[in-house]
Amino acid sequence: MIKGRTPVAGRKRAPAYTKRLEFVPGQIIVRVRQSAVPPPMRAARLKFVGAEAKALPPAIAEPLDYLRRNAGLKLVQPLFSTRRAAIQRASVSTAERHRLAMWSSVADSESEELRGIAVLSVDPKKATPKLMKHIGAAQGVEFAEPMPARWLAQAGADPMQNLQWGLRAIQWFGAVIPDAKGVKVGVLDSGIDDTHPDLADVDIEYHHEGLKAQDLVGHGTHVCGIIAAATNNQTGITGVAACKLEVWKIFPDAPEEDGEFYVDGVRYLRALQALIGADVKVVNLSISGTASSQTEALLFRRLHDRKITVVAAMGNEYEEGNPTEYPAAYKDVFSIGSIAEDRRRSSFSNTGRHIDLVAPGSNILSTVPTKGSPFLDETDYASWSGTSMATPHVAAAAALVAAKHPHMDATQIKEKLRSTATKLPAMRNRAWTPA
């Protein structure tokens, strides 16, 4: 791992910087207290007119007004409202739109558990800890937290090491592989080239509304190939599981000023909620970041309660202090580190007491888009490294377990994979080790 910026393999390097962002600049997640909204207002069918905006209780309206006066409030996005488009079409002032959006986050929520959550965009220079504390202490606010930054959990690699040693490491060739065509794996990533010859015949649903369909950095396509590239099609590589894929593009089409691609927090959180209605059994999250979030943790609890197995990357910053990274560190997430060909920990792979498994993650050959971009030099196939590459090996294995044992819940699938995993020599016969 390179000290400082860790470039995505195959991407043209941007100027180096010393530290990634911990939070998305200028974005605040706010949840209003249910007690601050009278029951009739929770059940209201809003018409989105100015008179309704004036009726919003002061306990909720005042924090919005404060942010508008003191922090340049630009936008209020009711995260799980079913009527977001109607709010944008309403003929009201900006201030009224902010109030109506907050009200809609309560009245039009997709779920009772998710009522009152919105993302507020303010001037990044004014989104200070002091401001966050002030808003969080408001009578009508349950919590206010900065939007955590998430990036691709991928490290640099030699693109010429194009052997699928990972399949041998997980003993794929000698195993009886269950038919997983009825199992759907969700992938939240940079997108997918669903026209790739090794992915074109895979059953894929792709959500990229408002963004280019193109996977500009190739990371999502690489992850999807590890999971489900077509088998015995006389083309390229072999995926671990012949399953269905449901892909959400959660990264923007351009990097931040530091040259890094960060998750679009609003798209990401909404995608986590959308997984529940998509009949997904397993979710792959090859992303990481150093900040936690109450909102994100709530969504993972909901996924776990609905028997959806969430598999996430431990992160690649071992040589930069080995920080605890999320979403892997949440209780309801299956956390994956990386090993190299010698079956030892990859030099970049984070460790910690929350780790569940390790899987092949160094020099992993997989699919990348057939068309390049300003952020992607390699095309068709490439060998990349990262806990990003280890994670889909486990997500695909979880899909195979789900195919063979359809009644297992997330906890049972996790335990099945842990109990049957091969103990590595460095573990010295211990059942589990944090390193």
Side-chain angles (χ1 to χ4, degrees):
M1 174 159 249
I2 297 171
K3 183 68 175 177
R5 182 177 185 276
T6 304
V8 170
R11 183 197 303 170
K12 293 180 180 178
R13 295 189 183 187
Y17 69 104
T18 57
K19 186 178 181 181
R20 287 191 180 98
L21 298 176
E22 187 173 16
F23 301 105
V24 177
Q27 288 198 346
I28 305 172
I29 307 173
V30 172
R31 184 168 196 175
V32 302
R33 294 187 185 280
Q34 299 302 296
S35 60
V37 184
M41 296 185 74
R42 294 179 211 168
R45 177 68 177 179
L46 295 173
K47 298 179 181 178
F48 299 119
V49 295
E52 292 173 329
K54 294 180 176 63
L56 191 67
I60 302 172
E62 288 172 2
L64 295 177
D65 294 341
Y66 179 87
L67 288 172
R68 193 163 43 255
R69 292 192 307 268
N70 297 283
L73 180 63
K74 306 170 187 176
L75 180 65
V76 176
Q77 300 182 74
L79 202 50
F80 303 112
S81 168
T82 59
R83 301 180 68 202
R84 297 189 294 269
I87 298 170
Q88 296 306 311
R89 292 194 301 266
S91 298
V92 293
S93 69
T94 300
E96 290 169 338
R97 196 182 310 279
H98 292 165
R99 291 188 175 203
L100 291 171
M102 208 66 183
W103 187 348
S104 182
S105 74
V106 176
D108 302 314
S109 176
E110 296 177 29
S111 162
E112 182 69 28
E113 290 180 274
L114 302 176
R115 282 187 186 273
I117 303 177
V119 175
L120 282 54
S121 299
V122 301
D123 181 343
K125 295 180 181 179
K126 297 181 178 179
T128 62
K130 182 178 179 180
L131 178 79
M132 213 73 59
K133 184 176 180 180
H134 181 89
I135 297 302
Q139 182 182 356
V141 174
E142 182 175 328
F143 66 76
E145 60 181 6
M147 177 72 77
R150 298 284 179 263
W151 51 80
L152 301 168
Q154 180 181 333
D158 180 355
M160 299 304 294
Q161 296 185 35
N162 292 340
L163 297 175
Q164 282 190 272
W165 71 270
L167 292 181
R168 295 195 304 277
I170 64 173
Q171 302 177 28
W172 188 91
F173 292 104
V176 177
I177 306 299
D179 181 359
K181 64 183 178 183
V183 177
K184 189 183 294 184
V185 176
V187 178
L188 279 58
D189 214 292
S190 63
I192 184 173
D193 179 0
D194 54 7
T195 67
H196 192 289
D198 242 341
L199 296 169
D201 293 332
V202 178
D203 189 344
I204 299 170
E205 289 286 334
Y206 185 21
H207 309 274
H208 57 84
E209 292 78 2
L211 297 171
K212 295 178 181 178
Q214 185 180 2
D215 178 4
L216 294 166
V217 299
H219 188 273
T221 302
H222 200 273
V223 164
C224 288
I226 295 169
I227 296 171
T231 302
N232 297 328
N233 65 338
Q234 299 182 340
T235 301
I237 65 164
T238 294
V240 176
C243 59
K244 300 178 182 179
L245 295 176
E246 187 132 359
V247 181
W248 281 264
K249 184 174 180 177
I250 60 170
F251 284 83
D253 289 327
E256 289 290 333
E257 292 182 359
D258 61 10
E260 185 66 62
F261 278 86
Y262 293 99
V263 162
D264 179 327
V266 172
R267 290 180 182 274
Y268 167 55
L269 295 174
R270 285 177 177 164
L272 289 178
Q273 167 62 7
L275 288 164
I276 292 173
D279 194 31
V280 166
K281 187 68 175 177
V282 180
V283 183
N284 187 96
L285 293 174
S286 290
I287 59 175
S288 60
T290 51
S292 62
S293 159
Q294 295 181 67
T295 307
E296 191 180 23
L298 168 63
L299 291 165
F300 287 125
R301 287 197 298 273
R302 286 171 56 78
L303 292 171
H304 184 269
D305 290 346
R306 286 155 180 82
K307 302 181 180 181
I308 298 173
T309 302
V310 180
V311 188
M314 284 287 292
N316 304 325
E317 283 68 44
Y318 182 83
E319 295 178 349
E320 297 175 15
N322 194 26
T324 298
E325 298 195 12
Y326 300 86
Y330 291 122
K331 177 183 177 182
D332 300 313
V333 173
F334 203 16
S335 310
I336 311 303
S338 172
I339 57 169
E341 291 96 325
D342 61 2
R343 307 310 194 261
R344 293 182 176 273
R345 181 184 61 81
S346 301
S347 61
F348 51 79
S349 181
N350 286 3
T351 63
R353 298 203 64 80
H354 58 288
I355 195 170
D356 289 297
L357 287 179
V358 292
S362 292
N363 305 317
I364 302 301
L365 176 66
S366 187
T367 50
V368 292
T370 57
K371 178 182 178 182
S373 81
F375 314 104
L376 178 67
D377 293 327
E378 297 162 294
T379 57
D380 300 316
Y381 298 92
S383 287
W384 290 353
S385 295
T387 52
S388 275
M389 285 64 250
T391 302
H393 281 88
V394 179
L400 295 177
V401 174
K404 188 173 182 179
H405 306 283
H407 300 298
M408 279 190 174
D409 61 20
T411 299
Q412 292 169 323
I413 289 175
K414 178 177 178 178
E415 181 54 33
K416 182 70 173 178
L417 288 171
R418 284 189 62 164
S419 65
T420 57
T422 300
K423 293 180 182 179
L424 299 177
M427 296 176 68
R428 299 178 182 176
N429 292 320
R430 289 174 288 179
W432 177 87
T433 171

